[in-house]
Every structure is written in C-alpha cells, then in structure tokens.
Amino acid sequence: MDRSFTMSGAAGEFPIRRIYNRTIVDELRRKQVKLGFRFGGRSNVEWAGHPNWYFRISKFSIPYLRHESVPKTWFLDQLKQIPGRFGETML
C-alpha cells in the first residue's frame, strides 16, 4: 500500500513530497529503536539524503574527492605547509 504524508499548519494541511533523511542506521540498531514506518516501505515521498550529510565512506578517501560540497583535505605526510591560518585548520 502506498503511503502519503501530510503536515498540518495554520494555513491548512500540506502534502509532504520530500523527506531529508539524516538517520544514522547503526544508532537505530544499537539503541533498538522501533520506528512506526519502514525506510524501504512504499510511500509517496522522495527520501533524500541531506545536502550536508556524507555517505558512509572511508575517511581515507576524502582527500581524493574534489567537489564543492567536499571539504578540502590533504594527507599530512604530503602537506608542505599548513593551508590558511593554523587556527582555522583541523587536524
């Protein structure tokens, strides 16, 4: 059965078409959280990863990625000098 989601507000009821998913599945399993729905269940919404959310990848891979949404990173053994001001750098 397809499922629709709505949100009620002062101006009435509105359909929800997209849900930004920031769920950490490992935490749900570890804490044994029981949800009232299934992520894989049929619904009339688009499940979208949040723009600030990273997929589950190794941190080792990040210096190889070049994209505006990926923070600039370097391997320390290949760094000739610390970029920018030291106080603004995370090691």
Side-chain angles (χ1 to χ4, degrees), residues 4-56:
S4 296
F5 296 97
T6 58
M7 181 174 182
S8 298
E13 194 167 271
F14 300 92
I16 296 174
R17 293 190 175 95
R18 178 179 294 151
I19 297 174
Y20 289 99
N21 175 15
R22 294 194 76 168
T23 302
I24 301 172
V25 178
D26 291 350
E27 285 291 303
L28 294 177
R29 287 184 184 145
R30 186 175 65 79
K31 294 181 179 182
Q32 299 179 350
V33 174
K34 302 293 181 205
L35 301 174
F37 63 94
R38 288 184 20 213
F39 282 111
R42 299 190 122 209
S43 62
N44 293 329
V45 297
E46 175 187 355
W47 291 93
H50 191 277
N52 294 337
W53 192 250
Y54 292 96
F55 291 97
R56 201 170 173 187

Side-chain angles (χ1 to χ4, degrees), residues 42-85:
R42 299 190 122 209
S43 62
N44 293 329
V45 297
E46 175 187 355
W47 291 93
H50 191 277
N52 294 337
W53 192 250
Y54 292 96
F55 291 97
R56 201 170 173 187
I57 61 171
S58 168
K59 292 178 191 174
F60 182 80
S61 303
I62 296 176
Y64 296 109
L65 303 175
R66 298 286 181 247
H67 189 270
E68 63 188 35
S69 67
V70 178
K72 291 180 180 158
T73 55
W74 301 267
F75 292 108
L76 285 177
D77 66 335
Q78 297 172 359
L79 193 62
K80 295 188 183 5
Q81 76 177 55
I82 295 174
R85 296 193 327 223

